[in-house]
Amino acid sequence: MIEEGVTVPLLYLVLAGAYLLVIPVAVLFYLNQRWYVASSLERAFMYFLVFFFFPGLLVLSPFVNLRPKRRQIEA
């Protein structure tokens, strides 16, 4: 069993990892799927998620490409 002196730092490490990496990846996936079809209330919720998880999104931002897909133009 884990000693009590190690439990709290391990818990902090797990929560920090979730806040900085795991949840922002899920938020980015959600934003990528719903950005162009969201309603106004859903868009407000998206802005809240970006505000709340800003440090994690900032950590992941160099590795993310959210540009729209290239359109096929038929002539």
Side-chain angles (χ1 to χ4, degrees):
M1 187 158 166
I2 301 175
E3 296 180 25
E4 288 184 20
V6 180
T7 305
V8 173
L10 186 63
L11 180 62
Y12 272 106
L13 187 65
V14 167
L15 289 175
Y19 180 72
L20 290 175
L21 294 175
V22 176
I23 297 173
V25 167
V27 168
L28 285 173
F29 180 74
Y30 171 68
L31 292 176
N32 198 21
Q33 297 298 314
R34 298 288 302 166
W35 187 258
Y36 294 107
V37 293
S39 66
S40 59
L41 290 176
E42 187 177 6
R43 192 164 305 270
F45 177 66
M46 289 176 175
Y47 292 148
F48 166 75
L49 288 176
V50 169
F51 175 74
F52 194 74
F53 295 107
F54 181 75
L57 293 172
L58 195 61
V59 169
L60 296 174
S61 64
F63 310 106
V64 175
N65 178 9
L66 291 179
R67 288 181 281 187
K69 307 267 187 297
R70 180 172 259 179
R71 294 186 315 170
Q72 295 294 331
I73 300 175
E74 297 179 15

